[in-house]
């Protein structure tokens, strides 16, 4: 009698096609909730479509950005909270579009996991849809990959891709920034999506649990650290369309020192006064718990300012008015001055606000 050879299935190998189909059915209404002019926000095809003419553009320049959430995902996984990291994913892409003067139009996501958990991934996409609604862009498609052997346990990873547009000649390139211009800071909601490898090292190294009460907020440590990245699209677009903005800088990894010079012409210095605002509680806690030097804080975290807006002195008051009308907390944090060579950023502040004034006095060249 001949032994029958084992019959293998994809599910036995760790890939559940039925679970993938169930996820698509779950997220179709979430995608539909992001529908906007130019998109039908319908999932299921091989590619997403977008009609620029229907969106109101005449002679558009497309701007694209992609990003991820980084190791903040490990905090979400360890804490079992998955409905906010999708907002982070959208924010990290669309905030980079708007700094170039582009209106975010569409978004696509990529999710990879070792074993598909339909409920978990539905929560993630719910966050992505919420981020898209905040940014005014349509979730027009995505990809979910179940990859046993590549990811272990409950681990998953996210990547996002967004496209925006601006009419030809309307993009922001920072070329009109001059000495005397005012630097406005828009407050952040926390660390956003940067510095989480350091945060996780600190939490584990100092014996904390994500379920512990946060010493700096009326919530758990997990909820505080998972506060989603703020999306600055609607407020900054309003100021841009009012003709008030010369330059924008999304403050991500590298902080002020590395991000602000990226939008400035040569021969200028961004002079930031860190005494203009109080370091938020989460950053004070991180600095104290980790004995983190002030310059290390400033190069790792946004330290309370997630977006920088550069305007002329004549337009400063009107820009602040518009930004506040769209829900922003706006602080004058510095000014542009003359310098030499490549663009630079210098930060100085009060010793009782940021720690040692000697530690917090740094200059760097532009990227």
């Amino acid at each position: 009698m001949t032994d029958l050879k084992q019959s293998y299935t994809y599910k036995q190998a760790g890939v559940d096609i039925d679970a993938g189909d169930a996820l698509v059915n779950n997220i179709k209404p979430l995608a539909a909730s992001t529908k906007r002019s130019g998109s039908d926000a319908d999932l299921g095809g091989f590619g997403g479509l977008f009609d620029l003419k229907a969106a109101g553009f005449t002679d558009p320049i497309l701007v694209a950005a992609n990003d991820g959430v980084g190791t903040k995902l490990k905090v979400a996984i360890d804490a079992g909270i998955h409905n906010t990291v999708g907002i982070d994913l959208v924010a990290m892409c669309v905030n980079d579009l708007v700094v170039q003067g582009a209106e975010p139009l569409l978004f696509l996501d990529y999710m990879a996991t070792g074993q598909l958990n339909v409920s978990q991934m539905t929560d993630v996409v719910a966050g992505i849809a919420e981020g898209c609604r905040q940014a005014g862009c349509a979730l027009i498609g995505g990809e979910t990959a179940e990859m046993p052997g590549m990811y272990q346990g409950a681990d998953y990873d996210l990547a996002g891709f967004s496209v925006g547009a601006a009419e030809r000649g309307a993009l922001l390139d920072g070329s009109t920034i001059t000495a005397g211009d005012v630097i406005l800071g828009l407050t952040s909601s926390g660390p956003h999506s940067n510095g989480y490898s350091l945060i996780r090292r600190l939490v584990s190294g100092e014996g904390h649990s994500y379920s512990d009460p946060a010493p700096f907020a009326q919530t758990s440590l997990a909820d505080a650290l998972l506060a989603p990245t703020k999306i600055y699209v609607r407020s900054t677009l309003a100021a841009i369309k009012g003709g008030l903005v010369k330059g924008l800088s999304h403050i991500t990894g590298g902080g002020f020192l590395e991000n602000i010079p990226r939008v400035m012409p040569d021969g200028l210095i961004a002079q930031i006064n860190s005494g203009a605002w109080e370091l938020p509680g989460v950053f004070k806690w991180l600095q104290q718990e980790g004995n983190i030097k002030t310059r290390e804080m400033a190069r790792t975290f946004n330290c309370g300012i997630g977006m920088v807006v550069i305007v002329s002195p004549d337009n400063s008051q009107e820009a602040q008015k518009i930004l506040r009308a769209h829900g922003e907390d706006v602080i004058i944090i510095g000014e542009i001055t003359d310098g030499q060579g490549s663009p630079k950023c210098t930060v100085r502040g009060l010793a009782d606000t940021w720690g040692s004034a000697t530690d917090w006095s740094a200059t760097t060249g532009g990227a």
Side-chain angles (χ1 to χ4, degrees), residues 112 114 137 143 145 221 251 336:
C137 65
E143 176 69 14
L221 186 57
I251 307 303
I336 303 294

Side-chain angles (χ1 to χ4, degrees), residues 81-105:
I81 301 171
H82 307 284
N83 61 344
T84 58
V85 289
I87 302 175
D88 292 296
L89 185 66
V90 176
M92 295 302 288
C93 295
V94 299
N95 285 342
D96 281 352
L97 292 180
V98 77
V99 297
Q100 296 176 85
E103 175 188 349
L105 302 175

